[in-house]
Amino acid sequence: MDQGLTQRFNCGSGPAEPDRLIGEVRQDKQWRKEGLVPELELPYKPPAVLQAGRVAAAEFGVEQSLADAAVIVRHLLVDRLALTLGDEEALDLFDEAARTLVLARGPEDAADMITALVFQIVAFLPMLAGPDRDIELAYTEWLGSQITHARRQ
């Protein structure tokens, strides 16, 4: 490795240079003064959707991804009339809740949450389709009706 890079980025062995650390602290203070680094409000209060996820995990005794999926479904159920009517503000709030969970959990846990949501949908499909109906056909028809409804708006 280039010796200059090793020294510049402190990748080699040995302690970091004190002057460089002092410069980094000064730079951080400057960035904070310029508003480039947001100040944290203490005590930190996580978004409500994250708190709801923790509560759901404790309530049901399940892993976080399944609890987060339950929170998203509950969130949708609370505002389903507004969502059915296509209220943009309600859709934005729902998107923000989902985005908050995905960003907080990271890609792997977000994928787990999506899988949990899919399993919930599949579990409800037989009830929605009815006793003598093809589940896949019922879902395809429902999905088509939702797409048609969204395009009309």
Side-chain angles (χ1 to χ4, degrees):
M1 181 183 223
D2 178 32
Q3 188 65 18
L5 286 176
T6 301
Q7 288 175 349
R8 189 176 309 136
F9 294 105
N10 194 31
C11 297
S13 60
E17 303 130 23
D19 291 341
R20 185 177 59 83
L21 292 175
I22 291 169
E24 288 176 4
V25 169
R26 286 184 184 142
Q27 183 68 49
D28 182 62
K29 286 181 180 178
Q30 181 63 33
W31 286 345
R32 287 183 189 281
K33 190 183 293 184
E34 293 173 12
L36 298 173
V37 177
E39 295 294 327
L40 290 176
E41 294 179 27
L42 296 176
Y44 172 72
K45 184 179 178 189
V49 71
L50 295 178
Q51 292 176 340
R54 288 190 198 108
V55 169
E59 177 184 347
F60 296 116
V62 296
E63 67 181 50
Q64 194 62 57
S65 59
L66 183 56
D68 289 344
V71 166
I72 289 293
V73 171
R74 284 177 170 175
H75 188 72
L76 183 84
L77 290 173
V78 167
D79 288 330
R80 71 177 171 241
L81 177 60
L83 293 170
T84 301
L85 297 175
D87 179 11
E88 285 298 319
E89 188 174 322
L91 290 171
D92 290 345
L93 288 173
F94 181 71
D95 285 344
E96 185 58 32
R99 187 178 300 109
T100 298
L101 283 172
V102 167
L103 291 174
R105 304 300 183 222
E108 187 174 314
D109 288 339
D112 290 345
M113 182 179 68
I114 291 167
T115 302
L117 283 168
V118 169
F119 276 111
Q120 289 179 24
I121 292 168
V122 169
F124 277 104
L125 279 176
M127 290 186 291
L128 296 173
D132 297 325
R133 192 120 187 265
D134 179 353
I135 298 169
E136 188 175 342
L137 178 63
Y139 177 71
T140 302
E141 289 173 354
W142 174 83
L143 185 59
S145 72
Q146 294 300 306
I147 292 169
T148 300
H149 177 73
R151 287 182 178 155
R152 282 190 212 144
Q153 293 182 349

